[in-house]
Amino acid sequence: MTEGAQLTQVEASHRYEVFHTDCPARDMVDHVTSRWGIWVLIALRSNDLRFYELRESIQGISEKMLAQTLRVLVQDGLVWRKVEPTTPPQVTYGLTEFGREIGEPLTDLFNRITQRLPPRSPG
């Protein structure tokens, strides 16, 4: 049983050559670690949010950049998108299981960084 697991891991490591420019895993890493991708994944870690709620939660992001970032994260299978057929349409986003798996270490990284920063001075 262990040999099968080891063989699978070896096969998986040969399936994607992450240091090659044409590796699809590189595109996904670029999307996740883009300027806004990481913030979208962190913002969705605890709640599903509508488009404007998500935009309000990530200060500094434009509607255009949020839409572009969400589009690629949905295509990558990290975020799901649900459209309610209302007028105007209500669009909600949330993390897929894969998105939660990827977002967890990003949230941990964010938490570690903020714990090491000096306390904010009042004012």
Side-chain angles (χ1 to χ4, degrees):
M1 186 100 161
T2 305
E3 286 180 3
Q6 290 175 346
L7 181 59
T8 302
Q9 290 173 352
V10 170
E11 287 173 354
S13 69
H14 289 290
R15 194 170 64 187
Y16 293 106
E17 296 293 332
V18 295
F19 292 104
H20 289 221
T21 57
D22 61 346
C23 178
R26 287 180 74 157
D27 288 337
M28 189 175 293
V29 170
D30 287 345
H31 299 158
V32 168
T33 61
S34 70
R35 178 172 184 190
W36 300 113
I38 191 169
W39 299 116
V40 168
L41 293 175
I42 289 173
L44 291 172
R45 73 185 179 272
S46 56
N47 291 318
D48 302 338
L49 297 172
R50 291 179 53 195
F51 183 88
Y52 288 103
E53 293 172 325
L54 191 51
R55 193 188 78 196
E56 292 297 318
S57 71
I58 305 172
Q59 293 185 6
I61 192 169
S62 68
E63 282 188 36
K64 178 183 176 183
M65 287 310 302
L66 178 57
Q68 287 177 356
T69 302
L70 286 167
R71 190 175 305 116
V72 296
L73 294 176
V74 167
Q75 288 172 353
D76 288 343
L78 299 169
V79 171
W80 56 260
R81 178 180 189 263
K82 179 181 176 188
V83 180
E84 294 289 331
T86 59
T87 305
Q90 294 182 6
V91 183
T92 305
Y93 295 90
L95 295 179
T96 63
E97 183 179 335
F98 185 35
R100 284 190 297 278
E101 289 176 22
I102 298 299
E104 190 175 307
L106 297 175
T107 300
D108 186 47
L109 173 66
F110 176 76
N111 289 339
R112 288 174 187 245
I113 289 170
T114 56
Q115 287 171 1
R116 294 288 185 156
L117 292 175
R120 293 184 70 174
S121 53

